Structures are given as structure tokens and as C-alpha cells.
Amino acid sequence: MEAAEHDKRKCPSHLSTTECTKQLLPVKDALDILSGKWKLQIILSLTFGKKRFKQIQREIPGLTPKMLSKELKELEINELASRHVYDTSPVTVEYELTAYGKTLKPLIEELHKWGTKHRKKIIARAVRD
Amino acid sequence: MEAAEHDKRKCPSHLSTTECTKQLLPVKDALDILSGKWKLQIILSLTFGKKRFKQIQREIPGLTPKMLSKELKELEINELASRHVYDTSPVTVEYELTAYGKTLKPLIEELHKWGTKHRKKIIARAVRD
DNA sequence: GATATCGGTATACTTTAGGAAACCACTATA
DNA sequence: TATAGTGGTTTCCTAAAGTATACCGATATC
């Protein structure tokens, strides 16, 4: 009975349908880290070194403090960036990519590679038609 | 003057700030293809072979025909999936990943790899605390 | 003749993401 | 004493994403 319920058209023979969707969870996690309007730009900005709050905001036109604050908190929660407060006046806060945060690099490069090919393909079609 | 305007803390020395953000466009393109609530599951479903509309819908619980229709159209527009209509009764429509659509696989695997590590890290921390 | 299946579409609704503007305590500068 | 900069928060609002439900014409089955 159990074996008969498995439909080979849906999933590879060694995986049940629910196991398949479980495989998607980590992919969605990774995607969540990178998607959204500002995350990539903020991460990119931090790949070039430590940055202060206003400094990031100035670099990224249109980015409001609310959004920046929210995104930086998420980066911290995910241990991708660290926050350092210095007791100066006015207070200095620096954000920095962690070593772990830097492990995103190959992933972003892979996205860049595929995206570049895709741009070419879509633009080529637009010219053709 | 022009050279002096370039801030090395922001971007690598060979790129201007605007050139940097241009580099992000293809990354965003790739991300757009994969993000959204259903895209990944639909693509995954099609990696196991041709599928009919209702068949996909039955495989993915919660997916409404409106969303499925919309996502399939986007996949078609991006040439990731193809649509074949057969003049049977009732009409048969099959969707299939194109060869190009299959080039997403290494990208999704990369996301899976990073996401799996990330899950472990975050779960380990949750257990620790 | 009623019901079900096929591949969708149409309309109305809720939920989430993001934007605009004002504001906070603190301090340095003019 | 006024102004500007620091790192944010709060409130209100709009736009986009997604959900629920009903419906369509065609045909096959009961």
C-alpha cells in the first residue's frame, strides 16, 4: 500500500512528495536572506568594509532609516552582519559583514552569472521581435 | 576632480558607485525568477517531467488556479517552461521545463547548499539558547 | 438530465512590503 | 541660542502580493 501511493511522475523514486517539499525549505531560507528591495544593496555596501548607519543610507539613494534599520536587524539576527557601538559623541555605530556573511559571496556570484545570461537572452529576444 | 569623487570605502577602485549597483541588476533578475510563494515549488514539480495544469495544482496544496496560471505565464515569458496544447476532449495542456529552464538547477543547488548550512547554524543557536 | 473534469478567468477581499514624514535624546559647531 | 549631525523609532499611508469564491464552455460519465 505505502509503496503504491508513490507517484513517480511527481518525485524521484527515493523521495516522497512531502520529502520533496522539505528539500525546498533551505532554498527558501537562502532566498529570503537575499530578496527584498534593499538587502542585496546593503550586503554589497558592507562587502567593501565597515560602514556606519548614515553612511550606508547616503550610499543607497531612496533607502529610508526605517528600512535600513529593519534590514540591518535581520542581518544581525542571521549572524551575517555585526553591530559595534562606540561610546563617542555623538554615538558611533558600525556595521560589518561577519566571516559567515562573506560565505554568501559564491552564492551571489552564481546568481550574477545566471542573471547575466538571462538578461542577454531576454534582451536578444526583445531586439529580434 | 572626477577621480577625487570616488570613495574607496564604498566600491572597489575600478568601479564607480553607479557601476556597482548596475552589477546588482542581473542578480535581482535571477532572484525575481525564483522568489514568490509558489515559483520554486512549480519549477521543482516540472523538473520531474511534463505536467498538466490540474496535476501541478493537485501536487501543491493551497495553490489556487489563479496563482498557478500567473506563475506558468511568467515561466513561459522567461522561456523557462513551454506550454503544449493537445486537441483532445477535454483539452489537454502540458507544461514542461525547457532546456534553458534546466540551467536553473545548479543555481538552485547552490541556494540549497547555503540554505542547509544556514538552517543548521540557526537551529544550533536556538538549541544553545 | 445531473454531475464531474479539463484549463483556466473574473471579482472581491486580506495581508504584507515598503514609503513619507515627523520625531527622539544627545552633542558639536556657528 | 539656533542649527546640524548622530542612530535610530513611530505613525500613517499606499501598492503589490496573495487568497477565496464563483464562474466559463467544452465533453464524458453516471
Side-chain angles (χ1 to χ4, degrees), chain A residues 79-82 96-105, chain B residues 114 121:
Chain A
E79 297 178 24
L80 298 167
S82 54
E96 188 177 13
L97 271 196
T98 60
Y100 179 57
K102 288 171 188 164
T103 66
L104 279 172
K105 210 181 166 192
Chain B
W114 194 91
K121 191 183 183 80

Side-chain angles (χ1 to χ4, degrees), chain B residues 64-96:
Chain B
T64 62
K66 179 185 164 188
M67 278 298 118
L68 178 55
S69 165
K70 189 195 134 213
E71 303 292 22
L72 287 171
K73 274 175 193 162
E74 281 184 44
L75 288 176
E76 248 200 293
I77 287 170
N78 287 303
E79 297 178 25
L80 299 167
S82 55
R83 182 177 183 269
H84 310 281
V85 184
Y86 300 100
D87 195 11
T88 56
S89 60
V91 65
T92 302
V93 182
E94 279 184 348
Y95 292 90
E96 188 177 10

Side-chain angles (χ1 to χ4, degrees), chain A:
Chain A
M1 270 291 259
E2 280 169 29
E5 279 170 11
H6 193 190
D7 183 345
K8 280 180 180 171
R9 287 167 308 176
K10 294 180 186 176
C11 275
S13 51
H14 62 293
L15 291 176
S16 75
T17 307
T18 50
E19 276 173 329
C20 273
T21 56
K22 250 183 235 165
Q23 289 297 307
L24 280 178
L25 286 175
V27 185
K28 286 191 179 174
D29 288 345
L31 237 30
D32 275 350
I33 296 286
L34 296 173
S35 62
K37 194 170 176 182
W38 305 107
K39 288 212 187 77
L40 266 174
Q41 284 175 84
I42 294 168
I43 291 169
L44 180 72
S45 161
L46 291 179
T47 61
F48 302 130
K50 293 179 192 173
K51 294 282 171 67
R52 296 177 61 178
F53 190 91
K54 289 282 180 191
Q55 192 179 2
I56 302 171
Q57 206 195 331
R58 263 183 261 111
E59 275 181 36
I60 304 176
L63 176 54
T64 61
K66 176 188 162 184
M67 279 297 119
L68 178 53
S69 165
K70 187 195 137 214
E71 302 292 23
L72 287 171
K73 273 175 193 162
E74 281 185 43
L75 288 175
E76 247 201 294
I77 286 171
N78 288 303
E79 297 178 24
L80 298 167
S82 54
R83 183 175 183 268
H84 311 281
V85 184
Y86 300 100
D87 195 12
T88 54
S89 58
V91 65
T92 302
V93 181
E94 278 184 349
Y95 292 89
E96 188 177 13
L97 271 196
T98 60
Y100 179 57
K102 288 171 188 164
T103 66
L104 279 172
K105 210 181 166 192
L107 183 54
I108 294 174
E109 272 164 14
E110 198 71 20
L111 285 160
H112 186 268
K113 252 173 62 186
W114 194 91
T116 302
K117 281 186 197 164
H118 187 61
R119 286 229 135 195
K120 277 184 192 156
K121 189 181 184 84
I122 298 304
I123 289 170
R125 185 185 57 187
V127 171
R128 207 172 58 234
D129 305 341

